[in-house]
Amino acid sequence: MKLRLLAVCTGLAMAAGVAQAQTQTKQDIGIYLTPMAARISNSTPDSSVFAFLGPNATSAFFEGFGVGVYDDLLHASRFDVGLDARANLLRGGGAQMNSFLVGARVAFKPVSLPFKPYFAVNGGVGGTKAAHNPLYVSKPQYGAQVGIDYPLGRLVDFRVVEVGYSSVQTVSSGTVNSGTPLPPSSGMITFATGIVFRLPSK
């Protein structure tokens, strides 16, 4: 009888310990994969072989995917603050645009809603190549994103939507030929959705 009672008490203590450990576990790190669509525009058309958006075009649609990771470093009752690093690969009309951005991220924790809205601001490098020329040009890029994640389980979120804006100097006759005036930076609006895998940490 004493052995049974000891076994029951030990089992309850272990279960309580596991439950406490689970409640103390935080998903600070998230890895996300996001299909993307983008509209890239420029106020100055380019008719050369370096025209990133196409000859004499001022806007074009691109598609591709993004991959990134965030780390929530500071925790408050209503929001988390951390770092976000991401890489985006976009293609459109034979042209290519690759971005690598790093910045700050703030995720909110609404009391009565399961959704987790967030926003991020970042900067880095954007590389572009026109459809009819192999020259690849890298320039500084900055941007901001807002989005909403919805928990599907303890370690998985559905990224319902993310909308972003960024600016970068794309390849053009102005960025390649020193005697040609530089065009204004191109503006890019992105739309993304996807899956977030959260890694538990103590």
Side-chain angles (χ1 to χ4, degrees), residues 109-127:
K109 298 181 284 190
V111 176
S112 58
L113 297 175
F115 295 98
K116 298 188 295 185
Y118 66 89
F119 76 89
V121 291
N122 40 47
V125 177

Side-chain angles (χ1 to χ4, degrees), residues 96-107:
Q96 302 177 15
M97 180 170 189
N98 303 325
S99 304
F100 179 72
L101 304 171
V102 178
R105 176 182 185 270
V106 178

Side-chain angles (χ1 to χ4, degrees), residues 13-14 20 49 56 59 68 73 89 94 162 178:
M14 292 177 62
Q20 183 179 9
V49 295
N56 298 312
S59 67
L73 302 175
L89 307 175
E162 180 187 271
S178 58

Side-chain angles (χ1 to χ4, degrees), residues 55-146:
N56 298 312
T58 56
S59 67
F61 285 94
F62 285 66
E63 59 184 16
F65 69 93
V67 58
V69 59
Y70 66 78
D71 189 354
D72 293 331
L73 302 175
L74 302 176
H75 302 277
S77 60
R78 295 291 180 264
F79 60 89
D80 297 325
V81 180
L83 300 176
D84 181 278
R86 59 181 61 203
N88 299 328
L89 307 175
L90 296 170
R91 304 290 183 267
Q96 302 177 15
M97 180 170 189
N98 303 325
S99 304
F100 179 72
L101 304 171
V102 178
R105 176 182 185 270
V106 178
F108 299 95
K109 298 181 284 190
V111 176
S112 58
L113 297 175
F115 295 98
K116 298 188 295 185
Y118 66 89
F119 76 89
V121 291
N122 40 47
V125 177
T128 55
K129 184 184 82 66
H132 304 293
N133 193 282
L135 183 66
Y136 187 86
V137 172
S138 296
K139 295 290 184 179
Q141 180 177 350
Y142 67 89
Q145 302 83 32
V146 294

